[in-house]
Amino acid sequence: MNRAFAVMTALICLLFASAGFADQPTPWQVDLQAPATPIMQEIKWFNNYTLWFIVPITFLVLILLVVVVMKFRASANPVPSRTSHNTMIEIIWTIGPVLVLFLIAIPSFNLLNAQLTIPTNPDLTVKATGTQWLWSYEYEGGETPLAFDSYILRDEDRAAAGKEDLAAYPRLLAVDNEMVVPVNKTVRLLVTAAPTDVIHAFAMPAFGLKIDAVPGRLNETWFKAEREGMYYGQCSELCGKDHAFMPIAIRVVSEEQYNTWLAAAQSDLAGANRALMAAVDESGDAVRLAATESK
């Protein structure tokens, strides 16, 4: 029993190991990305909840259209009806939509409230500034502020950055410097655009996060990543010719790994990133080894 439990635990850890987990779009994807935050879990639930209304209404409208086409076509009904109104039908098509909208509105407002209510005393505050065509990050509140730019990773720079694995660092989504945050910590995110720039939008699908970056305006949101790994998003506001080349990458790591990275990044960002990648890979290898030994 203990051996089976150990094997199961190791396999679960292997599945969600940060070294191998990268949430990103997949070919022919029709569903939302796997939730990594409480807000995205609520969005996922709300999406499934609304389907209980959308699907029956869609079939109802389809059936009504078929009935109208078959029953009231010219050949089957040469003398059209002169009915001007029907009180019962008008009551139904007024009260029915009102009830449906009411049932959708309540959880919708609750979700909006959860998204827009910033938790008090966040563990970390990061400012993201959009510029044609990159993101700049500033870590606030520490003794020594940390700021860096995040550009799309060019193919010729992959080898030097140690990011040749296209599964973990996909083309057009990987960046040279990811935003790094600790797992299970509340992150307050301040989003804006450079004063002389255009409007951008910071979007991270797995976090249920999307907010405009407007020049001269500071928008505020939050997230709490509950799984370690690499997460990818993109600018979601048309912002010019290189709009498609402005990805967002957030690496979620353990608190210990984050603290080590933060201390080193203030003096050597590139070295801190390489050390963090090595630590993440090592932890992933340890999980895989434990799974193998348990078998």
Side-chain angles (χ1 to χ4, degrees):
M1 182 67 178
N2 291 336
R3 183 179 179 83
F5 178 78
V7 171
M8 182 65 68
T9 302
L11 290 175
I12 293 175
C13 292
L14 177 61
L15 177 63
F16 294 106
S18 58
F21 183 80
D23 220 341
Q24 55 186 283
T26 58
W28 299 99
Q29 183 175 4
V30 296
D31 198 6
L32 301 174
Q33 291 188 15
T37 65
I39 290 296
M40 188 56 194
Q41 291 175 4
E42 291 190 40
I43 293 175
K44 181 86 170 182
W45 175 88
F46 183 69
N47 174 75
N48 296 335
Y49 172 75
T50 55
L51 289 177
W52 287 98
F53 301 96
I54 295 172
V55 172
I57 290 173
T58 301
F59 279 108
L60 174 62
V61 173
L62 177 61
I63 292 171
L64 291 176
L65 286 174
V66 172
V67 169
V68 169
V69 169
M70 298 302 295
K71 185 176 181 180
F72 298 103
R73 69 188 190 277
S75 59
N77 191 44
V79 181
S81 172
R82 297 181 178 274
T83 303
S84 61
H85 69 279
N86 185 296
T87 302
M88 182 56 66
I89 291 179
E90 292 181 1
I91 291 175
I92 291 174
W93 73 33
T94 300
I95 295 179
V98 168
L99 290 176
V100 170
L101 292 176
F102 182 76
L103 293 174
I104 292 177
I106 293 177
S108 174
F109 291 152
N110 290 336
L111 176 57
L112 286 173
N113 183 67
Q115 288 178 309
L116 299 176
T117 302
I118 309 299
T120 56
N121 301 321
D123 300 292
L124 175 64
T125 297
V126 181
K127 181 181 179 183
T129 303
T131 309
Q132 292 177 316
W133 286 273
L134 72 145
W135 291 96
S136 300
Y137 299 118
E138 299 177 41
Y139 286 68
E140 302 181 357
E143 296 181 359
T144 304
L146 173 63
F148 57 87
D149 296 331
S150 180
Y151 288 87
I152 189 171
L153 182 64
R154 299 182 299 178
D155 290 339
E156 58 267 28
D157 296 333
R158 284 184 174 273
K163 298 178 178 179
E164 298 177 284
D165 183 0
L166 290 176
Y169 304 100
R171 183 175 177 273
L172 302 182
L173 286 178
V175 300
D176 55 355
N177 300 312
E178 300 92 6
M179 179 198 298
V180 180
V181 298
V183 69
N184 291 321
K185 297 294 182 180
T186 300
V187 180
R188 175 172 172 252
L189 185 64
L190 306 177
V191 181
T192 187
T196 58
D197 212 87
V198 299
I199 298 177
H200 302 276
F202 192 98
M204 182 58 62
F207 291 0
L209 182 63
K210 184 176 182 180
I211 189 168
D212 282 344
V214 183
R217 177 173 178 173
L218 197 63
N219 287 330
E220 183 179 16
T221 187
W222 70 283
F223 64 87
K224 181 180 180 181
E226 297 180 327
R227 289 189 285 122
E228 295 183 36
M230 183 75 79
Y231 299 88
Y232 293 104
Q234 290 177 297
C235 174
S236 295
E237 185 72 45
L238 291 174
C239 58
K241 71 178 184 68
D242 285 341
H243 163 68
F245 306 99
M246 194 173 169
I248 300 165
I250 300 180
R251 188 189 291 274
V252 182
V253 298
S254 67
E255 185 175 5
E256 180 182 359
Q257 289 173 334
Y258 169 76
N259 290 333
T260 302
W261 171 84
L262 183 63
Q266 293 173 351
S267 58
D268 181 10
L269 178 63
N273 287 339
R274 287 193 294 269
L276 179 60
M277 290 174 58
V280 169
D281 291 340
E282 183 180 352
S283 63
D285 291 340
V287 171
R288 284 185 283 271
L289 179 61
T292 302
E293 292 178 347
S294 299
K295 294 178 182 179

